[in-house]
Amino acid sequence: GGMNMNWGPYSFLLPKEERALGPTGKATEGDEGIKSVHQAPTPSLRSKKKNPKAIARERLLQGTDDTQLSPDPTSAPSRPLALASSSSLLAEGRCPPIADNTVCGCEVLAQSDYRGTINTSEEGPTCLPWDADLITQSFNGFLPGFFPDAGLDENFCRNPGALNPVAGCIAPVVSAQGNYIHYCDIPLCDPCSCMPVCGQPNTATCGCPSVRQADECCDDVRDANSCKCGYLKKACSTSLENGSEDFCDLAEEVCCKESKNPDCGCNLFEQICSENPSMPSCEFAAERCCPNDPERNHLDFDWGAEEVCKCEFFEYATSEIGFKSDHQHCNHAIKIQMPLEIARDIERDKLKIFYLETGGEYWFNNEGWADESELNHCNWYGVTCNGQNYVEELNLRNNNLTGHSCWACRLDFPDVIMLDLSQNQISLEKNERLLYNRKLEYLDMSENVLTGHLDALLFPSAKLVNFSHNQFTSADFKRFRKAYNTLQVLDISSNYISQDVNELFLNIPPTLETLDISNNGIGGSIQEMGEHLLFFAMSNNSISGPLPDFPNTSPKLRSLNLSDNQLTGTIWSDVFKLVDLSLFDLANNNLNSGIPSSIGDLSQLKELDLSNNGFGSTIPQQLGKLADVMEMIDLSTNTLSGRIPSELGSFQGDILLGGNNLTDLAPLELCLMGRFDGINDTSVCPPERNALHEFYVSAKGIEWTRSDFWLDAYESHCKWYGVDCKPNKNGENVTYKLNLTSNGLSGTLSKDFSVLKSIKILDLADNDLKGNIPTEIGLLSDLSYLRLSYNALVGTMPMEFQELSQLQIIQIQSNRISGTIPLSMDAQLDAGQSTFISDCGVPTIFEKVLFCANCTMCCNSQDDCYPTANTLIQEAGFEDYKSFTWVFFLSTVGASCVLHLASFFYGEYKKRSHQARSSMMHQSAVSRENLERDKKYAIDSIGRDSVYMFFLSNSVWRWLVALSTMAAQIGILYVFVEGAEFDLSDDISDLVYTWKCPRDKDSCTDTNDLNWRGWVCFGILMTAHLLKDVVNGSKLILLSGKQRHSLKSRIRFFIGGMFTVAISLFALFVTTLYNQAIAVSNTALIENSVIVLFITDLDEMFYRALLAINPRLVARKEEQEQIRDDENEKTMKDDMKQMKIEIGELREMVERMKAAQHEGDHEGLNPATARDDGP
């Protein structure tokens, strides 16, 4: 479609066939204004002796592709496109058509492009054909074969490979040079119609050759746009030097085609000025960088801003690149600026306007601003003035400022140093009037809604600038700005900037120490940064490519954050050069290979984040060097493998290693860190291993007798001494047994025992553990064997202990535990006395003995023990021996009553039968005989030398003596009952703890030597001493049932016999109980029995004592006479009663006889009846 278009000087872009024709289809040789290649040849170049670079690429300048340049109008600033221009540069005479190489040769190519037919040298000889034998022999080969594209046809003048200064040939005669090479007189082409070899500079005085290079040399280049940009910049620069702006628009279009910076052209032309600091190029750059364009600065057209900008530009050009200027722009800028005196005088008015235009009435704090009576603006909220009452600081941070009009033009205060308008709702796009704040050093406009393009160096004296959290879409650093040499801190993070990083970093200030451009959309690959940079953050962007060489370009870096980008490659091996680096964050990138060990040499590094990358291999051990300074290290979500270095265990900060291939166990110390992310990963940090190590530390494991593998950083806890493991249902090895008995443990029990949820056996006996039993022990739900005996544990048993429902053996004796031991109602203790042992015996070191309702064995403070099994008395339902004693006495009384009644009824029976066979006189005689015998027997049975004999008397005081003696005996024997009481918690009991529970065994043994032989001796001794009294007492009771005695005698017989039997049986009962409680040998059994039997003789001892005091008190005759009188009286009464009975019986018999006789007399009338009745 280019046949009918006016391509002008860009006809070289057309196909070869179309290039030969003009826009009308005709040849363009004769076009007016174009220097014809048919003009007179230029002087020969032979005398100049120029030597272009060898191996010049021979090519036909006419050849090109058919691709038409079609710029995308949507991606470039709105301005006329060079190629779309309706004007013809060719018609304007700015570029000749491409040279005709059949007529002339280009100087820049050493005429190697010449393809004409001249075949005679300048000296006159005719040239030899290029395939002549002489040439072939001279060059040791066929020359056209060496240079197939050099046009070595026939014998025409040529310069193959640009080996000579100009075109020539080989003639058979010697030339002026002393050889056979002759130069030809070939006309030079117009330089503007030539094109240098790709990569070679344009030496012409016009830019056309560079434009041709841009088209011809960049098709096969990787970055074609940059390649074309370089050539077109040269074309623009050359044109400017010749008083023309040709190709500058084209250069801007191509160079800024992919740029999102509206000031890209300024940067481009500033570079041209820097590279060629001439008046035309620098004036042109100043015009482009400081335009007087109302549409460009549509918010506030200000002529003064242009002049101030140009002043800065030419000051920079003069001082930095050697440009010479008369500084007229600076003089003009000074003239048009408001005098300082006037500017200072109207500060109050400008603040008032600023207040109105930013919604001052809605500010959170507008103290003074709305008060018309407050004339001194230095007293307004947020305003700080210097000594001359000029505004020095304005701080309206977070004060609800709003607005989008030209309010900023009111803030040109000549003395202001600090301006803080952050955290408001300010929305403006651009206002260069702010640059009038020539002293402004600190500007904070963060967290507003600012949009558009940001000129980061706009403020001449700026040191700290913060435009973060706004809506800027682009930013740049203009090299000519004065702030280029002052800016130290810049924060433009959290905006919408989406430029290429190299475009953004173009002209980055060398004074910049802190730069934060995180949270934007910046792409590209970072090349290098300033050497003075200390803090650099560019996280959450789209940066790609390898890491820039910060160790060599920015060795002073203290903080580097490039996380959340698309970086590739590896970390520098010489990262150790960043000696001051304290933060190193490359998280969420595509970095790979290994982590350099030299990171461990960064002695100031506090935070290292390499997470979410592709780092492989192992974690360097050298990172352990940073243990004292590192606060956080994050290597998570990579492909790291192998062991985690044990050196990391000494870190005090956060260590994040999750999401790798670290299958080996982590170092033990690392797993104990609460800030290690793998602490809950059972594959690298088994919780049981951590818990056991805590126990090791708590129990002073360093002092243990044996602690094999307990200090090993990588060994499984299942191999530690005393630890046994078994696989659970999931196949994981879990601790089921911990046996460290007699191993020198001290310290305290760790609370981390709760982690050992599968443990069944816990044996820590015979150590020196102190402190309380932790409540967490109640979480060991599977525990069935617990042995903590022979330690120094204190406090009370935790209530959580009752949660251990699986316990079968519990031994916690020989500690200092007090209170109550709770036990689960579901606990199923094993059978035997050694199942549940505690210090529930006496004596105890506490005021109250330990209460243990379920213990099977109680031990005391002397480590002696005794089973808690119920006695026979308790099995029968009695609480203790004391309660049974009363039952014993009642039983004795009941038995005595039964015996008495049996005797009574038996006597009645014998009496009736005896009365039927004997006469009354005979019975009376027998009764008197029995009374005499019974009297004597009663005294003999109760004892003639015992105070119990007093029970047979009528004397009250004698009864008191007998009763007192009996009470004394019972009281003394009752003391033995209390002493024999089976109450392991009562210190009154004399119970001897005969059991011992060894430290090295879990079963207790009885050390009592008492056996059956001792009890046989005991039986013999008791029988010999007490049987007589029991038999005699029983006889008295039997005697009390005989009615032949008086009631008083019978009562005395019963009481005397009952007390005698009761005392004797009670003595036997007490002796048996007491020996069961304290006798530990056969001899002790006999000794105890003798002591108790001695008490049974107390009645006789009292009798002898009374006899010694006053014999008359115990005279037997009086006693016998009293008994005899009583018995005689009883006998007389019985005889009289018997006689009355017999008389009555006789009367009845007489009456019957009379009745019978009277009946016989009446029946005598009947002979038969009479015969039947005999005498």
Side-chain angles (χ1 to χ4, degrees):
M3 291 297 295
N4 297 323
M5 294 181 62
N6 183 11
W7 287 91
Y10 301 104
S11 59
F12 65 90
L13 296 174
L14 296 175
K16 181 177 180 181
E17 294 77 11
E18 300 180 23
R19 190 185 310 153
L21 302 177
T24 60
K26 299 179 180 181
T28 58
E29 288 185 6
D31 286 354
E32 184 179 357
I34 302 298
K35 184 177 180 180
S36 174
V37 295
H38 297 290
Q39 293 177 346
T42 58
S44 174
L45 293 178
R46 180 182 58 201
S47 59
K48 299 181 180 179
K49 301 295 183 181
K50 293 184 179 179
N51 185 20
K53 291 185 178 180
I55 315 177
R57 184 163 63 96
E58 179 68 23
R59 58 188 300 158
L60 295 175
L61 295 181
Q62 296 87 345
T64 183
D65 56 36
D66 295 334
T67 304
Q68 299 180 6
L69 186 60
S70 301
D72 183 5
T74 63
S75 63
S78 177
R79 53 178 176 263
L81 298 180
L83 296 183
S85 174
S86 60
S87 62
S88 172
L89 294 180
L90 179 61
E92 296 174 2
R94 297 183 182 179
C95 260
I98 193 168
D100 186 355
N101 60 358
T102 63
V103 178
C104 61
C106 292
E107 179 183 11
V108 71
L109 298 176
Q111 294 186 330
S112 62
D113 61 325
Y114 174 66
R115 294 296 181 269
T117 58
I118 298 176
N119 60 359
T120 58
S121 67
E122 186 179 25
E123 299 178 12
T126 302
C127 300
L128 291 175
W130 290 101
D131 57 354
D133 293 339
L134 176 63
I135 298 176
T136 301
Q137 294 174 0
S138 299
F139 288 93
N140 297 320
F142 186 62
L143 197 60
F146 293 154
F147 301 97
D149 297 329
L152 302 182
D153 301 327
E154 300 183 18
N155 64 342
F156 304 138
C157 294
R158 299 288 187 266
N159 188 7
L163 299 177
N164 296 307
V166 294
C169 64
I170 299 176
V173 296
V174 178
S175 67
Q177 287 78 243
N179 52 33
Y180 295 102
I181 298 177
H182 292 254
Y183 296 141
C184 299
D185 189 12
I186 306 298
L188 290 176
C189 300
D190 181 4
C192 291
S193 65
C194 296
M195 187 192 82
V197 176
C198 293
Q200 296 300 315
N202 173 25
T203 58
T205 58
C206 62
C208 295
S210 297
V211 175
R212 291 189 176 94
Q213 284 180 305
D215 179 64
E216 295 288 336
C217 300
C218 297
D219 291 340
D220 299 329
V221 178
R222 181 176 181 181
D223 189 353
N225 198 71
S226 297
C227 174
K228 291 180 180 181
C229 175
Y231 287 122
L232 293 177
K233 281 172 58 179
K234 178 60 177 175
C236 173
S237 177
T238 303
S239 297
L240 290 173
E241 289 300 310
N242 290 276
S244 171
E245 297 180 4
D246 292 345
F247 314 116
C248 289
D249 286 342
L250 180 62
E252 182 179 3
E253 176 188 343
V254 173
C255 295
C256 298
K257 179 180 180 180
E258 299 177 357
S259 173
K260 296 183 180 181
N261 180 7
D263 289 339
C264 172
C266 171
N267 294 328
L268 172 67
F269 300 123
E270 183 273 325
Q271 290 179 8
I272 293 176
C273 172
S274 299
E275 295 170 359
N276 184 23
S278 63
M279 180 64 73
S281 61
C282 291
E283 285 281 0
F284 183 78
E287 290 292 337
R288 290 299 183 95
C289 291
C290 306
N292 184 9
D293 185 358
E295 293 185 0
R296 184 176 179 84
N297 289 326
H298 61 278
L299 291 179
D300 180 29
F301 171 58
D302 188 351
W303 180 270
E306 176 195 1
E307 296 302 322
V308 172
C309 175
K310 289 183 177 180
C311 175
E312 282 190 331
F313 186 91
F314 286 112
E315 283 185 346
Y316 149 74
T318 302
S319 61
E320 298 290 337
I321 60 179
F323 174 75
K324 296 181 180 181
S325 172
D326 56 4
H327 297 286
Q328 293 300 319
H329 291 287
C330 292
N331 295 333
H332 186 60
I334 295 174
K335 290 179 180 180
I336 65 175
Q337 290 188 37
M338 184 180 297
L340 291 179
E341 293 76 10
I342 300 177
R344 290 166 176 166
D345 289 342
I346 63 173
E347 283 185 345
R348 182 181 184 279
D349 297 330
K350 288 191 289 186
L351 289 173
K352 199 67 176 180
I353 297 174
F354 170 74
Y355 169 77
L356 296 174
E357 293 188 354
T358 56
E361 59 180 317
Y362 301 107
W363 290 4
F364 296 146
N365 190 337
N366 58 4
E367 181 181 354
W369 293 78
D371 188 357
E372 296 295 337
S373 62
E374 181 59 69
L375 300 179
N376 187 358
H377 59 278
C378 296
N379 296 328
W380 295 359
Y381 170 75
V383 179
T384 303
C385 297
N386 55 24
Q388 288 76 35
N389 287 333
Y390 299 137
V391 177
E392 187 176 56
E393 295 183 5
L394 181 60
N395 187 349
L396 296 174
R397 180 186 184 91
N398 191 22
N399 203 37
N400 199 34
L401 275 69
T402 59
H404 57 275
S405 62
C406 179
W407 57 265
C409 61
R410 316 300 179 192
L411 293 181
D412 49 343
F413 302 112
D415 297 290
V416 71
I417 296 176
M418 190 275 287
L419 178 61
D420 188 348
L421 302 178
S422 61
Q423 299 181 22
N424 286 290
Q425 295 296 318
I426 300 171
S427 58
L428 77 157
E429 190 167 317
K430 182 175 181 181
N431 199 301
E432 298 192 0
R433 186 68 175 268
L434 281 171
L435 60 82
Y436 289 155
N437 294 296
R438 312 299 292 175
K439 296 183 180 179
L440 183 63
E441 296 181 359
Y442 306 97
L443 174 64
D444 191 348
M445 298 289 292
S446 61
E447 298 186 50
N448 281 285
V449 285
L450 306 178
T451 61
H453 177 74
L454 173 64
D455 186 352
L457 303 178
L458 181 63
F459 316 103
S461 301
K463 294 182 179 179
L464 186 152
V465 175
N466 187 354
F467 279 101
S468 63
H469 295 88
N470 278 285
Q471 299 177 13
F472 289 111
T473 56
S474 61
D476 72 345
F477 303 94
K478 291 184 172 60
R479 175 64 181 83
F480 62 86
R481 297 289 194 192
K482 288 188 175 182
Y484 179 83
N485 296 311
T486 62
L487 187 62
Q488 299 176 2
V489 178
L490 176 63
D491 187 350
I492 54 174
S493 61
S494 300
N495 278 281
Y496 299 148
I497 301 173
S498 57
Q499 298 169 252
D500 181 86
V501 63
N502 292 305
E503 178 188 40
L504 178 63
F505 288 170
L506 185 66
N507 300 324
I508 190 169
T511 57
L512 196 61
E513 297 179 352
T514 300
L515 176 61
D516 189 351
I517 51 177
S518 305
N519 303 314
N520 282 286
I522 302 169
S525 177
I526 306 175
Q527 300 303 319
E528 63 179 43
M529 301 297 296
E531 62 176 345
H532 299 289
L533 196 62
L534 302 179
F535 303 92
F536 180 44
M538 199 173 180
S539 62
N540 195 22
N541 280 282
S542 300
I543 303 302
S544 59
L547 285 170
D549 190 11
F550 285 117
N552 294 303
T553 62
S554 305
K556 298 180 181 179
L557 268 175
R558 299 179 185 174
S559 176
L560 176 60
N561 186 352
L562 296 177
S563 60
D564 298 283
N565 280 287
Q566 302 170 16
L567 296 170
T568 58
T570 62
I571 299 177
W572 331 277
S573 59
D574 56 351
V575 65
F576 61 87
K577 295 181 179 179
L578 301 173
V579 294
D580 297 322
L581 195 64
S582 63
L583 184 147
F584 191 22
D585 191 348
L586 299 177
N588 296 302
N589 280 286
N590 298 316
L591 300 169
N592 51 36
S593 189
I595 298 175
S597 60
S598 56
I599 292 181
D601 297 325
L602 303 177
S603 59
Q604 304 299 319
L605 191 61
K606 294 182 179 180
E607 295 186 26
L608 174 64
D609 191 348
L610 304 179
S611 60
N612 291 285
N613 280 283
F615 292 112
S617 189
T618 59
I619 301 175
Q621 294 181 349
Q622 288 79 357
L623 293 181
K625 298 179 181 179
L626 307 176
D628 295 334
V629 296
M630 186 72 77
E631 297 177 357
M632 190 277 289
I633 177 172
D634 189 351
L635 306 179
S636 60
T637 318
N638 283 284
T639 58
L640 298 170
S641 59
R643 280 188 171 182
I644 301 174
S646 59
E647 289 79 3
L648 297 186
S650 57
F651 276 53
Q652 301 301 317
D654 295 330
I655 297 182
L656 309 177
L657 303 177
N660 284 286
N661 299 324
L662 303 170
T663 56
D664 291 348
L665 291 178
L668 182 56
E669 291 187 0
L670 184 60
C671 290
L672 299 175
M673 293 178 56
R675 303 173 73 175
F676 173 46
D677 68 336
I679 193 171
N680 296 321
D681 185 351
T682 57
S683 63
V684 296
C685 285
E688 292 187 347
R689 188 177 67 150
N690 298 353
L692 288 171
H693 185 270
E694 288 298 325
F695 166 71
Y696 174 85
V697 175
S698 180
K700 298 183 179 179
I702 196 171
E703 300 176 359
W704 292 2
T705 304
R706 290 190 63 182
S707 59
D708 305 352
F709 300 116
W710 280 78
L711 295 179
D712 192 284
Y714 299 101
E715 194 64 72
S716 170
H717 63 283
C718 295
K719 296 183 180 180
W720 295 359
Y721 172 75
V723 180
D724 289 332
C725 296
K726 284 185 177 180
N728 60 10
K729 60 182 180 180
N730 297 325
E732 300 174 348
N733 280 334
V734 294
T735 302
Y736 90 97
K737 180 179 180 181
L738 179 60
N739 184 357
L740 294 173
T741 181
S742 305
N743 200 43
L745 278 68
S746 57
T748 59
L749 289 174
S750 171
K751 295 182 179 180
D752 290 341
F753 262 124
S754 59
V755 178
L756 306 177
K757 296 185 181 300
S758 299
I759 192 170
K760 293 183 177 295
I761 300 174
L762 179 59
D763 192 348
L764 305 177
D766 192 25
N767 286 290
D768 192 27
L769 292 170
K770 303 176 181 65
N772 297 319
I773 297 177
T775 58
E776 288 75 9
I777 197 172
L779 299 176
L780 306 181
S781 56
D782 290 342
L783 191 63
S784 60
Y785 184 102
L786 176 63
R787 194 160 176 257
L788 301 177
S789 54
Y790 298 102
N791 280 285
L793 299 171
V794 298
T796 59
M797 203 69 178
M799 292 300 298
E800 289 77 6
F801 185 73
Q802 62 185 347
E803 301 294 330
L804 303 178
S805 59
Q806 303 298 319
L807 279 175
Q808 298 176 359
I809 294 180
I810 311 168
Q811 296 184 4
I812 54 176
Q813 77 275 16
S814 192
N815 283 285
R816 293 198 291 273
I817 300 174
S818 59
T820 301
I821 299 180
L823 184 64
S824 172
M825 298 299 295
D826 298 330
Q828 299 178 354
L829 298 176
D830 288 347
Q833 293 89 347
S834 304
T835 300
F836 192 175
I837 310 174
S838 71
D839 295 324
C840 52
V842 291
T844 178
I845 60 175
F846 297 101
E847 181 179 354
K848 293 183 179 181
V849 70
L850 177 67
F851 179 75
C852 181
N854 302 96
C855 283
T856 59
M857 183 83 69
C858 284
C859 300
N860 56 26
S861 59
Q862 299 167 352
D863 291 340
D864 297 323
C865 306
Y866 203 86
T868 61
N870 290 334
T871 62
L872 293 176
I873 298 298
Q874 292 172 328
E875 293 290 343
F878 298 96
E879 183 179 354
D880 51 23
Y881 292 149
K882 291 182 287 186
S883 62
F884 180 74
T885 299
W886 299 108
V887 177
F888 174 81
F889 278 116
L890 292 176
S891 301
T892 302
V893 173
S896 299
C897 291
V898 171
L899 189 60
H900 169 77
L901 293 175
S903 175
F904 173 77
F905 288 114
Y906 180 74
E908 286 294 320
Y909 171 76
K910 284 186 64 178
K911 180 180 179 180
R912 289 179 181 274
S913 62
H914 187 68
Q915 286 178 351
R917 297 191 302 268
S918 302
S919 65
M920 180 181 64
M921 296 302 294
H922 177 72
Q923 290 178 4
S924 177
V926 172
S927 177
R928 284 193 294 270
E929 181 181 353
N930 288 338
L931 288 174
E932 289 297 330
R933 186 180 68 249
D934 289 345
K935 293 175 184 177
K936 180 179 179 182
Y937 179 75
I939 294 174
D940 291 338
S941 296
I942 203 168
R944 296 181 179 274
D945 55 352
S946 172
V947 295
Y948 290 157
M949 181 183 63
F950 294 165
F951 286 124
L952 302 179
S953 69
N954 291 328
S955 175
V956 176
W957 76 267
R958 290 189 177 189
W959 269 75
L960 292 176
V961 170
L963 290 173
S964 299
T965 302
M966 183 191 67
Q969 282 185 309
I970 293 175
I972 295 174
L973 290 174
Y974 191 77
V975 172
F976 283 89
V977 173
E978 291 180 335
E981 195 66 70
F982 189 77
D983 188 355
L984 301 179
S985 63
D986 192 349
D987 206 16
I988 299 178
S989 175
D990 293 336
L991 181 68
V992 176
Y993 290 62
T994 59
W995 288 70
K996 289 289 185 181
C997 299
R999 294 172 177 265
D1000 57 344
K1001 295 181 180 179
D1002 58 6
S1003 59
C1004 303
T1005 57
D1006 190 358
T1007 60
N1008 195 335
D1009 295 331
L1010 184 63
N1011 54 37
W1012 64 271
R1013 289 192 295 271
W1015 285 109
V1016 170
C1017 295
F1018 169 78
I1020 295 173
L1021 185 62
M1022 291 295 103
T1023 301
H1025 195 81
L1026 299 177
L1027 183 60
K1028 174 180 69 67
D1029 292 337
V1030 174
V1031 173
N1032 288 337
S1034 300
K1035 289 180 177 180
L1036 279 177
I1037 296 173
L1038 291 173
L1039 192 59
S1040 68
K1042 305 299 183 180
Q1043 293 189 13
R1044 60 176 172 265
H1045 299 286
S1046 64
L1047 179 60
K1048 292 182 178 179
S1049 295
R1050 290 165 62 188
I1051 293 174
R1052 296 187 188 102
F1053 290 160
F1054 179 79
I1055 293 176
M1058 182 186 66
F1059 284 164
T1060 301
V1061 172
I1063 292 298
S1064 299
L1065 293 179
F1066 188 53
L1068 176 63
F1069 171 71
V1070 170
T1071 306
T1072 303
L1073 294 182
Y1074 196 68
N1075 276 306
Q1076 284 182 339
I1078 70 169
V1080 295
S1081 64
N1082 295 335
T1083 56
L1085 176 64
I1086 297 174
E1087 291 175 358
N1088 297 334
S1089 301
V1090 171
I1091 293 173
V1092 177
L1093 291 178
F1094 177 78
I1095 300 172
T1096 62
D1097 293 337
L1098 194 62
D1099 57 323
E1100 297 176 0
M1101 288 185 283
F1102 277 139
Y1103 179 82
R1104 287 192 292 271
L1106 292 174
L1107 187 62
I1109 295 173
N1110 190 351
R1112 290 180 297 177
L1113 296 175
V1114 292
R1116 293 192 179 94
K1117 290 183 177 180
E1118 296 179 2
E1119 186 176 341
Q1120 294 173 357
E1121 290 175 355
Q1122 182 66 41
I1123 295 173
R1124 189 178 298 112
D1125 293 340
D1126 293 339
E1127 294 300 330
N1128 289 336
E1129 181 180 0
K1130 174 66 170 60
T1131 301
M1132 290 176 64
K1133 291 181 179 179
D1134 290 342
D1135 290 343
M1136 291 178 64
K1137 183 178 180 182
Q1138 185 66 32
M1139 289 177 65
K1140 291 179 179 180
I1141 294 172
E1142 290 178 353
I1143 292 173
E1145 291 177 351
L1146 287 174
R1147 287 177 179 174
E1148 291 178 359
M1149 186 180 296
V1150 171
E1151 292 294 329
R1152 286 197 300 271
M1153 291 177 63
K1154 288 180 179 181
Q1157 183 178 1
H1158 176 71
E1159 184 180 355
D1161 291 340
H1162 178 69
E1163 294 177 352
L1165 299 176
N1166 189 352
T1169 307
R1171 284 193 299 268
D1172 292 337
D1173 296 333

